[in-house]
């Protein structure tokens, strides 16, 4: 018979790793299951500068997350790399079935996060990895001295566009409105950056190219006018990065857990509508999705799991 853990944490981003750290530190037997690399969104974030207490200038998401991973390990969390395909939360013991094995626990903390929203233009899928990217940290170097376009006007778009200016010859933000949503402090830096340009009131309609992205059609959202943008003749290609928000990774729980717009509903203590099942981080319906709020959710969820287990005994 497989081991029944006190806590299974699904996802190893800031919420999941903090939940693991707190659960492990409370001497609960804890398993963290992650299908890819640790970190979730911040694994592909170039710079984190607003995590409290952070002093390292220009610290990257991966370096911050590496410390969180180590800390969870230090407190005894077991780790498995697997993709969970189905869950059964109907009994007192919660069951999760992955591609490599089956896992059981008294409590589950869902911290599966969110993934980038596609740009939504014609032919997009064909050019993902061939000019279209959702990760500046991963792909910026590929566009050294090329032209790059960034879609979006939020914190992520503007911060990642600034990062891209370290590599690309010219970076143009394409935004559907004529003002940015990003925090004012981020905007101030962006407007001072000479390599950063803005194409206001535009969206990308269609992308094209011979294998690699070299052409796109953008539409003026006010006039409807279409403009074709082609790669510089010497370059032959350009980059297009999408940062237009996130979509929750909640498909696995559809019809099982209460949600709103695919985000899991919890109370202030991270309880879902199912006893013994908690949710933490970007997967939750909440007002602020940041590393610090994800970490806080993870800590609360773990302490609530401990309380729930104590009440069971
Ligand atoms: P976001 O804040 O939701 O911004 C999404 C941006 O994409 C908005 O400017 C939006 O335009 C635009 N957009 C949405 N759908 C679009 C579409 N279909 N076509 C074209 N444009 C579209 O998303 P985010 O920047 O990815 O940030 C996600 C969360 O992470 C936020 O809570 C953010 O604060 C947080 N974050 C924080 C930091 C930081 O604090 N340093 C860094 C990165 C992310 P409109 O403005 O017109 O709605």
């Amino acid at each position: 018979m497989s081991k029944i853990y006190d806590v299974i944490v699904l996802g190893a981003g800031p919420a999941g790793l903090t939940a693991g750290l707190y659960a492990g530190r409370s001497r609960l037997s804890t398993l963290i299951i992650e299908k890819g690399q640790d970190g979730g969104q911040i694994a592909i974030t170039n710079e984190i500068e607003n995590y409290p207490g952070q002093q390292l200038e220009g610290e990257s998401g991966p370096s911050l997350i590496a410390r969180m991973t180590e800390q969870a390990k230090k407190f005894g969390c077991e780790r498995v790399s697997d993709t969970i395909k189905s869950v059964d939360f109907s009994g007192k013991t919660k069951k999760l079935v992955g591609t490599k094995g089956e896992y059981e626990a008294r409590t589950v903390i869902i911290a599966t996060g969110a993934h980038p929203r596609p740009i939504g233009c014609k032919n997009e899928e064909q050019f993902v990895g061939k000019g279209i990217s959702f990760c500046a940290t991963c792909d910026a170097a590929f566009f050294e001295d090329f032209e790059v376009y960034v879609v979006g006007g939020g914190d992520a778009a503007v911060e990642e566009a600034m990062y891209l200016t370290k590599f690309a010859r010219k970076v143009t933000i394409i935004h559907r409105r004529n003002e940015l949503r990003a925090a004012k402090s981020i905007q101030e830096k962006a407007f001072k950056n000479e390599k950063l340009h803005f194409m206001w009131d535009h969206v990308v309609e269609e992308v094209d190219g011979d294998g690699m992205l070299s052409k796109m059609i953008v539409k003026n959202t006010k006039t409807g006018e279409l403009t074709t943008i082609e790669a510089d003749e010497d370059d032959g290609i350009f980059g297009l990065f999408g940062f237009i928000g996130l979509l929750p990774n909640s498909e696995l729980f559809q019809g099982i857990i209460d949600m709103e717009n695919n985000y899991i509903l919890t109370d202030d203590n991270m309880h879902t509508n199912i006893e013994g099942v908690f949710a933490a981080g970007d997967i939750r319906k909440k007002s602020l999705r940041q590393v610090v709020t994800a970490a806080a959710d993870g800590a609360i969820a773990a302490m609530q799991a401990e309380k729930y287990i104590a009440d069971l005994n």
Side-chain angles (χ1 to χ4, degrees):
M1 211 170 71
S2 68
K3 173 171 175 178
I4 300 178
Y5 289 91
D6 291 323
V7 184
I8 286 180
V9 180
L10 202 50
L17 290 171
T18 308
L21 154 67
Y22 272 73
R25 198 163 173 266
S26 298
R27 302 279 185 270
L28 299 174
S29 61
T30 305
L31 175 69
I32 300 178
I33 304 175
E34 166 62 53
K35 67 175 179 183
Q37 60 178 346
D38 285 11
Q41 286 297 306
I42 72 161
I44 59 168
T45 300
N46 167 59
E47 188 177 339
I48 309 279
E49 62 173 12
N50 54 0
Y51 191 67
Q54 194 173 328
Q55 298 273 307
L56 303 173
E57 183 66 27
E59 175 162 42
S60 71
S63 85
L64 176 62
I65 209 73
R67 294 205 303 274
M68 292 190 190
T69 298
E70 270 311 302
Q71 210 174 356
K73 212 194 273 174
K74 182 178 140 191
F75 287 107
C77 290
E78 291 181 40
R79 295 295 309 257
V80 157
S81 172
D82 200 354
T83 303
I84 299 303
K85 293 289 183 193
S86 66
V87 295
D88 179 358
F89 293 158
S90 57
K92 274 222 151 43
T93 301
K94 317 298 176 199
K95 298 183 177 125
L96 297 89
V97 180
T99 52
K100 295 181 190 162
E102 296 189 12
Y103 313 93
E104 295 188 322
R106 291 177 184 84
T107 63
V108 174
I109 298 173
I110 300 167
T112 47
H115 62 277
R117 182 195 303 277
I119 293 168
C121 59
K122 195 175 163 202
N123 300 335
E124 177 169 0
E125 275 183 28
Q126 222 175 300
F127 290 95
V128 172
K130 292 173 181 163
I132 293 184
S133 170
F134 298 92
C135 175
T137 317
C138 320
D139 297 325
F142 185 73
F143 294 101
E144 182 98 49
D145 284 333
F146 285 94
E147 276 200 50
V148 158
Y149 296 83
V150 169
V151 188
D155 291 341
V158 182
E159 283 200 327
E160 299 304 310
M162 281 193 285
Y163 174 67
L164 283 160
T165 61
K166 295 180 188 171
F167 299 82
R169 186 171 72 234
K170 179 181 173 191
V171 177
T172 304
I173 289 185
I174 302 174
H175 184 35
R176 65 181 177 182
R177 294 187 296 131
N178 64 359
E179 61 177 351
L180 298 171
R181 178 181 294 279
K184 289 285 177 275
S185 60
I186 299 176
Q187 291 195 30
E188 279 164 19
K189 280 195 208 166
F191 291 134
K192 281 187 203 148
N193 188 322
E194 287 180 355
K195 281 171 95 179
L196 199 52
H197 302 258
F198 296 88
M199 187 182 280
W200 303 110
D201 299 314
H202 276 81
V203 289
V204 179
E205 282 284 289
E206 186 175 339
V207 288
D208 209 347
D210 187 10
M212 291 294 290
L213 178 65
S214 62
K215 191 173 157 183
M216 68 180 164
I217 297 171
V218 295
K219 184 169 96 177
N220 186 310
T221 52
K222 286 195 169 142
T223 64
E225 188 188 345
L226 298 176
T227 306
T228 300
I229 295 174
E230 290 192 70
D232 180 276
E233 216 170 290
D234 290 337
D235 293 345
I237 60 156
F238 60 82
L240 178 62
F241 286 75
F243 299 107
I244 59 168
L246 305 170
L247 297 173
N249 298 322
S250 60
E251 310 80 51
L252 193 56
F253 313 107
Q254 292 290 345
I256 298 174
I257 297 181
D258 290 348
M259 298 185 198
E260 193 178 302
N261 291 330
N262 299 322
Y263 286 99
I264 292 179
L265 295 171
T266 69
D267 64 11
D268 289 348
N269 283 326
M270 312 302 141
H271 293 245
T272 68
N273 60 308
I274 301 177
E275 278 199 1
V277 179
F278 306 84
D282 284 3
I283 191 71
R284 285 178 63 221
K285 184 186 177 221
K286 62 195 292 196
S287 64
L288 183 63
R289 294 193 171 84
Q290 299 272 296
V291 179
V292 67
T293 61
D297 286 1
I300 294 168
M303 297 327 291
Q304 290 294 315
E306 183 190 24
K307 187 173 177 305
Y308 172 83
I309 290 165
D311 289 346
L312 280 181
N313 295 331

